[in-house]
Amino acid sequence: MSLGLGCHPFTVVASAEPQDITPHRVHEKDRPSDDRRTGMTASYETIRTRLDGTVLSATFDAPPMNLIGPEVVRDLVALFEDVSHPAAPKVVIFDSADPDFFLPHVDMTKVPEYTAEAAKAGGPGDASLGMLFRKLSRLPAVTVAKLRGRARGAGSEFLLACDMRFASRENALLGQPEVGIGAPPGAGAIQHLTRLMGRGRALEAVLTSSDFDADLAERYGWINRAVPDAELDEFVAAIAARISGFPRDALIAAKSAINAVSLPSPAEVRADAALFQQLVRGEKVQQRTAELFEQGFQTRGATELDLGDALSRLAPGAAGP
């Protein structure tokens, strides 16, 4: 498929061949010295990376279903640090090795553990996914999300923190299920969706906890475009190649200027995170998640595939009055 986007006229990495980085955990004490050609310093346990010129592909691969737990958050903290290097790739494409699940939501059994890992990106005062994802929005690289499968809760909020979002028309679902479980979103959805959709549509997305397919998400502004699945890879690759051919200083300056207009302030992000963390540990959330776990929550099955419907079937009394 020709999109008329062209390709970049030059590359600045030593090798023109794509470079595979085998996924494994690298502890700080084992971390190799910086690679001055690319700015990348480590490989990761739950993210497979592939470097092609100045475009980095980062593929989530955390079986059984890419839940956002401490391992994924630890790798994101390390990846964001690596992409902040002055010689790092100009464009990062995020996608998933799992066709059914991009990032379905957080691991509800490991909230304290993944929160502790998120704190390593900014300190104890910023121990939240919201502040980690704000760092994603401010990276000195252009971040492009290529969505196949389900991105709900913090998975959707990760997408919203990226600079652009493109989704498979046939195989993408987005949702914010938090209110259906018993808490408001806490990692950026309230801030981003209100800015992107307007008040009414943001309230619809958040308060109904429904699943949105790619066509409706595009119409509402949740994503940039819904693209036929057979064309999605080429479409995103063409956009990344075009952007990566432009001067880095211009890319960073333009992104910074748009961020100054559109990003929520740290205080707004922290307030949402504090409210989420307060309520997610409460009795009502525990009751509703217990009922979901009885139905197969956090396993590959009907409950996770159709979580929006599963939430509507929870007993109203499970959350009290």
Side-chain angles (χ1 to χ4, degrees):
M1 180 181 75
S2 176
L3 299 171
L5 292 173
C7 296
H8 61 82
F10 59 86
T11 56
V12 296
V13 231
S15 172
E17 294 298 318
Q19 301 174 24
D20 286 312
I21 305 176
T22 304
H24 66 276
R25 182 179 301 175
V26 178
H27 295 285
E28 200 65 35
K29 65 183 178 62
D30 300 322
R31 187 180 287 256
S33 58
D34 289 353
D35 182 341
R36 297 301 175 184
R37 295 176 305 158
T38 65
M40 305 303 293
T41 61
S43 49
Y44 318 97
E45 180 182 2
T46 64
I47 303 172
R48 291 193 281 110
T49 55
R50 181 179 180 85
L51 186 64
D52 186 3
T54 55
V55 177
L56 179 74
S57 294
T59 301
F60 292 108
D61 190 5
M65 52 184 293
N66 285 354
L67 288 171
I68 301 175
E71 296 82 9
V72 169
V73 174
R74 183 182 307 126
D75 282 346
L76 287 174
V77 170
L79 178 63
F80 295 172
E81 178 185 345
D82 291 337
V83 174
S84 298
H85 192 283
K90 295 180 184 178
V91 180
V92 182
I93 300 171
F94 290 101
D95 64 0
S96 171
D98 190 324
D100 294 322
F101 297 100
F102 182 85
L103 293 170
H105 51 75
V106 298
D107 186 338
M108 292 293 291
T109 69
K110 297 180 179 178
V111 174
E113 291 90 341
Y114 76 66
T115 302
E117 293 296 333
K120 296 177 182 177
D126 289 334
S128 72
L129 289 182
M131 288 304 291
L132 177 62
F133 293 168
R134 191 174 189 276
K135 185 170 185 178
L136 165 63
S137 298
R138 299 178 69 246
L139 288 177
V142 178
T143 54
V144 181
K146 182 171 65 176
L147 174 62
R148 288 186 173 96
R150 289 143 184 84
R152 300 187 180 106
S156 163
E157 290 169 312
F158 176 90
L159 291 176
L160 289 165
C162 290
D163 299 332
M164 304 173 201
R165 295 160 293 285
F166 302 99
S168 164
R169 174 165 286 128
E170 301 89 344
N171 187 29
L173 286 176
L174 299 98
Q176 295 297 154
E178 294 91 342
V179 166
I181 293 173
I190 289 174
Q191 303 297 329
H192 289 297
L193 291 179
T194 304
R195 286 166 169 80
L196 291 168
M197 297 180 176
R199 179 176 180 271
R201 286 177 170 177
L203 283 167
E204 178 188 345
V206 171
L207 299 187
T208 66
S209 295
S210 297
D211 287 336
F212 282 59
D213 63 27
D215 283 330
L216 185 56
E218 178 191 54
R219 206 170 119 205
Y220 274 31
W222 205 323
I223 59 173
N224 289 63
R225 302 193 205 184
V227 180
D229 189 80
E231 302 173 7
L232 181 62
D233 292 335
E234 185 179 351
F235 181 89
V236 172
I239 283 181
R242 179 180 176 87
I243 292 172
S244 71
F246 298 151
R248 184 187 300 273
D249 289 348
L251 295 173
I252 295 173
K255 175 175 172 173
S256 296
I258 291 172
N259 279 348
V261 174
S262 61
L263 279 189
S265 69
E268 290 169 322
V269 175
R270 290 176 183 131
D272 288 351
L275 185 56
F276 171 81
Q277 290 172 5
Q278 174 189 341
L279 293 180
V280 79
R281 293 173 171 85
E283 182 179 353
K284 293 181 180 180
V285 172
Q286 301 309 310
Q287 290 172 341
R288 289 182 78 79
T289 54
E291 186 173 345
L292 285 171
F293 275 112
E294 290 175 1
Q295 299 174 16
F297 189 51
Q298 297 198 176
T299 63
R300 298 184 73 93
T303 295
E304 282 289 354
L305 291 173
D306 299 306
L307 185 57
D309 289 340
L311 290 171
S312 69
R313 295 192 298 270
L314 291 179

